[in-house]
Amino acid sequence: MRSPFWQKRIPRNIVLKKLDDPAEWRKIPILDKDTLRAMTDVQFYSEFCHAKHDGIAEYWRSGGVTGQPLFYPRSFRDIEVGLESFARTFDCAGVERGARAHVSFPLGIHPVGQIYARCATTRGITVNWAGSGTSTPSALQLELIQRLKPTFWLGMSSYALHLANLAEAKGVDLSTLGIKHVMCSAEPVSQAKRDKIERSWGAKLTDNFGMTEAGMMGSEDVPGAGFRIWTDLYYIEVLDPKTLEPSKEGEVGTLVVTALQMNNVTPFLRWSSGDLVTYSEAKGGKGPFSVFPRIKHAHRTAGFFKVRGINLGHQDLEDFMFRHLEIGDFRAEAVTENLLDHLLLSIEVRRGSNQAEIAKRIEVQVKEKFELTPRVMVLETGTLAKEFEANVKAARFVDRR
């Protein structure tokens, strides 16, 4: 109610003392990305944000949901809570005091990398602030991993794949370098991608879940089972996408989040992130985080190509490609040639494999599974890693039409 934006949106008949009543709580309008897109910079900072807090400590870059990314002010209290929420992911992964971390998340205005590096101190963890390939070239990252011998690596899952492919091109076996754990966030991790990363790195992968509008919200305690959401810090709702009524446990719904102790400047109240998830209550498990409920991504928001009338899901295609052990990396492009749309698959094939045979097999199997015949191009190992290196997230799916 300190925000002029919310003063206009919150119904007059709402009873603030009864917000623990679900019916009363749901009177608050949901905040979504379209609403943010409609706001100018001036409106966001003067109407949405409010001034009663303990001071601005820093700014976190949004995920780019508006045409031009916003920079969210974070108070000193926000940072205190944020550091603790990120540090909990170390605990969930079983990373103990004395471990050595190589952080390959982007640094700077992207909060994830610098917050991870800073909060490691609270757990007695040594950190190499490498950043992404834009700040420390991937070849140098591999050299630092070999020289400094970290015990675990943090970064986006796509960059883990790129480093693995670059290592193979250089004749470096990542699985022999002593990294016991890989920690990822910010991108979907399918089972096929998880298996590939764990094989390449010789390490266990723990995925983590957060968003700039809230903070780091949860982590896996069982691989692939979903994220334990820290409901002492975040109130979550899983709602039917059409009716916005609560979904039943196990049913796919849209995720709505309200930070309970962060966002002391930016009131993201009932923020609809666009994630489609299932919810399950805390049942069994071990450790201090077993008291928290889980959400699991339905992997239905990653987008798709429509090529010649065929809807080709990005997540489905990625899962299919990474199940082929001979393929190191790939890129999918929708292109137009001679007024016809085509699917172009650029693949990198592991050394010693028959490139022509694999390319033909991929062509046939994509046709069988997706009812669309692709053009398959074989690239030299390491080509895609170099192209992806400058990107925060890998441009693995590109529509060039």
Side-chain angles (χ1 to χ4, degrees):
M1 296 304 293
R2 297 174 183 172
S3 162
F5 171 86
W6 281 108
Q7 289 172 11
K8 299 174 184 177
R9 282 172 60 91
I10 293 179
R12 293 184 178 182
N13 67 341
I14 198 167
V15 181
L16 298 180
K17 293 182 179 180
K18 294 184 179 180
L19 291 180
D20 56 345
D21 180 344
E24 200 72 23
W25 174 259
R26 287 198 291 274
K27 290 180 181 179
I28 301 172
I30 288 175
L31 179 66
D32 58 23
K33 297 176 182 180
D34 288 336
T35 306
L36 276 193
R37 288 191 184 100
M39 299 176 69
T40 65
D41 256 14
V42 172
Q43 288 175 318
F44 178 79
Y45 291 110
S46 65
E47 299 178 19
F48 185 83
C49 300
H50 60 79
K52 293 185 178 180
H53 48 75
D54 62 342
I56 303 298
E58 58 192 64
Y59 292 86
W60 286 8
R61 182 191 186 279
S62 74
V65 298
T66 59
Q68 181 175 349
L70 289 167
F71 289 83
Y72 303 143
R74 290 288 175 250
S75 73
F76 289 95
R77 173 59 180 161
D78 290 339
I79 299 305
E80 181 182 334
V81 176
L83 288 169
E84 171 58 24
S85 68
F86 273 77
R88 287 183 181 183
T89 65
F90 294 137
D91 304 332
C92 280
V95 179
E96 299 178 344
R97 188 177 188 85
R100 298 185 301 279
H102 183 103
V103 178
S104 292
F105 280 114
L107 297 171
I109 58 176
H110 295 276
V112 60
Q114 46 98 353
I115 293 290
Y116 254 131
R118 286 156 61 188
C119 76
T121 302
T122 68
R123 295 302 194 263
I125 296 169
T126 303
V127 178
N128 180 16
W129 295 54
S132 65
T134 55
S135 55
T136 305
S138 296
L140 179 54
Q141 299 228 16
L142 288 177
E143 180 183 333
L144 290 172
I145 290 172
Q146 291 174 280
R147 291 176 57 193
L148 302 180
K149 302 186 185 307
T151 53
F152 70 108
W153 179 89
L154 296 91
M156 294 185 184
S157 56
S158 58
Y159 194 51
L161 292 171
H162 302 334
L163 284 179
N165 292 325
L166 184 60
E168 183 183 0
K170 290 180 173 293
V172 177
D173 186 352
L174 277 181
S175 66
T176 66
L177 300 183
I179 292 178
K180 300 176 182 178
H181 222 109
V182 168
M183 294 176 63
C184 296
S185 189
E187 294 176 330
V189 177
S190 66
Q191 187 59 48
K193 183 186 284 188
R194 182 189 301 271
D195 292 342
K196 181 174 176 58
I197 291 173
E198 290 187 340
R199 281 195 310 269
S200 301
W201 288 75
K204 177 185 175 183
L205 187 151
T206 295
D207 198 17
N208 305 287
F209 176 64
M211 60 187 74
T212 319
E213 291 77 17
M216 185 59 70
M217 294 174 54
S219 182
E220 294 180 324
D221 57 349
V222 176
F227 305 103
R228 294 282 189 182
I229 298 297
W230 301 315
T231 47
D232 59 330
L233 300 179
Y234 305 97
Y235 179 67
I236 62 170
E237 304 168 74
V238 179
L239 309 178
D240 183 282
K242 294 182 179 179
T243 67
L244 296 182
E245 290 297 314
S247 296
K248 295 180 180 178
E249 185 172 353
E251 290 184 349
V252 174
T254 187
L255 179 64
V256 174
V257 180
T258 302
L260 301 177
Q261 299 188 45
M262 285 191 61
N263 286 340
N264 291 294
V265 188
T266 54
F268 282 100
L269 200 62
R270 299 197 79 198
W271 168 252
S272 177
S273 65
D275 294 273
L276 292 177
V277 302
T278 57
Y279 173 91
S280 60
E281 293 287 354
K283 296 174 182 177
K286 298 178 181 179
F289 299 103
S290 62
V291 298
F292 293 122
R294 283 194 180 104
I295 63 168
K296 186 173 183 180
H297 273 96
H299 292 315
R300 282 173 30 184
T301 58
F304 63 91
F305 288 144
K306 190 160 190 173
V307 181
R308 298 192 185 186
I310 302 294
N311 288 336
L312 188 64
H314 295 173
Q315 190 68 45
D316 293 334
L317 181 59
E318 180 180 83
D319 195 60
F320 169 83
M321 295 297 288
F322 282 142
R323 290 194 184 282
H324 291 78
L325 302 185
E326 306 93 339
I327 294 178
D329 208 349
F330 80 97
R331 178 174 58 206
E333 300 168 89
V335 299
T336 299
E337 295 178 1
N338 299 323
L339 302 180
L340 290 176
D341 289 351
H342 299 274
L343 173 66
L344 173 62
L345 290 178
S346 300
I347 65 174
E348 295 181 8
V349 177
R350 293 197 176 280
R351 296 180 184 279
S353 303
N354 187 318
Q355 296 183 354
E357 188 274 330
I358 292 171
K360 184 61 179 178
R361 175 149 48 95
I362 291 297
E363 178 185 311
V364 171
Q365 291 183 358
V366 169
K367 169 64 175 176
E368 292 175 347
K369 182 172 179 61
F370 299 103
E371 300 181 356
L372 183 68
T373 301
R375 287 176 46 205
V376 181
M377 179 187 303
V378 179
L379 304 177
E380 182 180 351
T381 301
T383 301
L384 291 175
K386 293 177 182 177
E387 292 182 13
F388 289 154
E389 186 172 299
N391 297 314
V392 174
K393 293 187 180 180
R396 193 178 302 284
F397 300 92
V398 184
D399 194 334
R400 301 193 185 281
R401 293 170 292 185

